[in-house]
Amino acid sequence: MEIASEPIAPCQVKLTIQVPAERLERARRDVAQEIGRRERVRGFRPGHVPVPMAVAIVGEEAFESAAIESLG
């Protein structure tokens, strides 16, 4: 993970964080697993919901937000 900071004003800093693709993909799988444990999805065992199905359940924006949050 690479982190760069850039001062933009007194007492304000802009952070740029680059996460490797495999680490982000792992976070997406973990979030899908958590959604699978929380929500019952017909045809899938608890915790074994595929990522596209989990995205369909909670929405793209909420799913990506949860994945990024889990990286922090």
Side-chain angles (χ1 to χ4, degrees), residues 27 44 49 67:
F44 297 99
V49 176

Side-chain angles (χ1 to χ4, degrees), residues 1 3 16 20 26-27 29 32 38 49 53 58 61 65 69:
M1 183 168 15
I3 301 173
T16 304
R26 177 67 185 155
R29 283 194 308 264
R38 237 186 1 215
V49 176
M53 184 73 75
V58 296
E61 189 173 315
S65 177
E69 189 81 19

Side-chain angles (χ1 to χ4, degrees), residues 5-17:
S5 64
E6 174 186 335
I8 56 174
C11 300
Q12 290 185 345
V13 177
K14 176 183 175 183
L15 292 177
T16 304
I17 302 171

